[in-house]
Amino acid sequence: MFITFEGCEGVGKSRQIKELENYLKTNGIPYYLTREPGGTPVSEQIRKVILDGKNTSMTDECEALLYASARVQLLKEVVKPKLDAGELVLCDRYIDSSLAYQGYARGLGVDFVEKINDYAIKNFMPDFTVFLDLPPELAFKRKGGVDKNDRLELSGMDFHQKVYQGYKDLAKKYSSRFIVIDASGTREQTHQKIIDALKEKGVI
Ligand code: TYD
C-alpha cells in the first residue's frame, strides 16, 4: 500500500512519522519511507531550489511545476518500484500538499494543480492519506515560530490559514481516502490514533 502524510507546518508530522517507524520496526512490519519534495537525488536538488529563502522571484506557476517534477521523479524512481516489489511505502507529503499549498493558498486553483499533476503522475493516488488536523496558529505556537530559512514557512499566517482550509476541503471531497487525525492532544495520543486508524484500514 501507498500511504501519505499531510498537514500544516508544525503539526508534528515528522515526529509522528518517526514514532510510526518505531512501531513498525518493533512489530517487524517492513516499510519504505520517503518524503516530498525529495526522496531521489534529482528531487532533492529540486527541493533545494523550491525552499531556498533567496528565491523570492519564483512565480507560483514555477513553484507548482517544480513540485510536480520532483514528484514524478520520485514516483518513477522509487515509489512504483517499491510498490511493485510488494513493499509498504510511506511518503511525507504528496499531491494533496500541492492542492492545498499551490491550489488553495497560492490561489492557482485546484483544477490547474490537478491538471499538471495528471500529466506528471497520471492520477497515481495513495491508498490512504493521514491528515494531521491542527490549525496553523496552534501548530506554529507549538513549533516555537517560523523557520526564517524556509521560503514556504515565511509565507505568512493568512497563507497558512488557506492551506489549512484547503486540507479541510480535500478531506471532505476525498473522504474515503483521507484519514483525519485530531492532532491537538499529546504526542502519545496522536500516535495511538494513527496506529488505531491504520489497523482499522488494514494497512498494518
Ligand atoms: P518541509 O521542510 O519538508 O516541511 P514539513 O516538515 O512541514 O513537511 O518542506 C516542504 C514544504 O513544501 C512545506 O512547506 C510544504 C511545501 N509543499 C508544497 O507547497 N507543495 C507540495 O506539493 C509539497 C510536496 C510541499
Side-chain angles (χ1 to χ4, degrees), residues 17-71:
I17 292 172
K18 203 90 237 117
E19 304 259 335
L20 175 61
E21 277 200 279
N22 290 340
Y23 177 91
L24 296 173
K25 279 184 192 142
T26 308
N27 289 279
I29 302 168
Y31 68 94
Y32 184 87
L33 171 66
T34 188
R35 70 164 177 183
E36 271 219 67
T40 76
V42 168
S43 309
E44 289 290 334
Q45 289 176 64
I46 297 173
R47 176 190 177 90
K48 283 206 188 90
V49 174
I50 300 175
L51 297 182
D52 190 338
K54 292 195 290 299
N55 283 335
T56 51
S57 61
M58 187 181 294
T59 65
D60 296 344
E61 290 80 359
C62 173
E63 181 183 279
L65 287 161
L66 286 176
Y67 278 116
S69 302
R71 180 163 303 131

Side-chain angles (χ1 to χ4, degrees), residues 7-10 13-14 35-37 47 51 63 67 71 92-95 97-98 101-102 150 152-153:
C8 295
E9 320 287 321
K13 188 165 47 63
S14 313
R35 70 164 177 183
E36 271 219 67
R47 176 190 177 90
L51 297 182
E63 181 183 279
Y67 278 116
R71 180 163 303 131
D92 184 349
R93 298 193 180 279
Y94 190 62
I95 186 173
S97 285
S98 283
Y101 282 76
Q102 283 68 50
D150 185 316
L152 268 290
E153 282 202 21

